[in-house]
Amino acid sequence: MRLNGKIAIVTGGGSGFGEGIVDTFVAEGARVIVADRDGAAAERVAGKHGAAARPVTVDVAVDADVARMVAAATEGFGGLDVLVNNAGVGHVPQPLDGLDEATFDRLYAVNMKAIYLAARHVVPLFKAAKAGTILNIASTGGVSPRPNLAWYNASKGWVITATRAMAVELAPFGIRVN
């Protein structure tokens, strides 16, 4: 049990990759906050794991929601060791000049701003503990862009660059970022 005793948050944990991450973390001994915009999905995934997982309905692009998500881990489980920034959105493939502004804004908010917001709340905790792990989920689209997905590809390229920058800056504090 490689994560025995660890406490984690998994954003977008109510389905897809996030659900798989939650399942694996719990199987490896972690207690997990299942954070998802879809509260019912978060409850369903957390419900599979009993006391080892707790659901939190959160919009990762809203600072107050992110603060509440982190508090759910620190107050509910007594700390935080791992943050998995998994939540993400895409858009229907289309020419880059055809994407509407509202879709672009949501893409930016969930794929990029959410990582910034989570870092604002989690990094001080990890610095104080001189330990912690942040896992940012990107996409092959960030390194090998596909046509008609320009803005999604760019957002995932941002995640890759932000991850590298975070890793360099936070390593002296004992915080790993991948």
Side-chain angles (χ1 to χ4, degrees), residues 24 47 77-78 148 155 163-164 177:
T24 300
F77 284 140
N148 295 314
S155 74
T163 299
R164 290 176 179 158
V177 184

Side-chain angles (χ1 to χ4, degrees), residues 87-164:
V89 296
H91 61 79
V92 174
Q94 60 188 285
L96 63 92
D97 56 335
L99 191 73
D100 64 275
E101 187 175 359
T103 302
F104 177 87
D105 287 347
R106 187 66 185 159
L107 186 80
Y108 162 83
V110 175
N111 293 0
M112 298 183 293
K113 182 181 177 186
I115 293 172
Y116 155 78
L117 291 175
R120 286 188 58 225
H121 291 279
V122 168
V123 167
L125 300 173
F126 287 173
K127 281 182 175 179
K130 297 183 179 14
T133 301
I134 299 172
L135 303 171
N136 296 326
I137 307 301
S139 166
T140 57
V143 292
S144 182
R146 295 161 292 183
N148 295 314
L149 292 170
W151 306 120
Y152 171 79
N153 295 330
S155 74
K156 291 307 182 172
W158 181 94
V159 172
I160 293 165
T161 301
T163 299
R164 290 176 179 158

Side-chain angles (χ1 to χ4, degrees), residues 15-97:
S15 65
F17 291 134
E19 182 175 356
I21 293 167
V22 169
D23 293 346
T24 300
F25 274 39
V26 171
E28 289 293 334
R31 290 176 289 163
V32 181
I33 296 296
V34 181
D36 204 287
R37 188 174 180 192
D38 181 342
E43 288 179 20
R44 179 187 59 77
V45 173
K48 295 190 300 183
H49 301 293
R54 294 185 181 171
V56 175
T57 304
V58 59
D59 183 337
V60 294
V62 175
D63 188 60
D65 280 12
V66 174
R68 190 170 42 76
M69 172 185 78
V70 173
T74 59
E75 295 167 12
F77 284 140
L80 183 63
D81 301 292
V82 180
L83 168 66
V84 181
N85 286 309
N86 171 69
V89 296
H91 61 79
V92 174
Q94 60 188 285
L96 63 92
D97 56 335

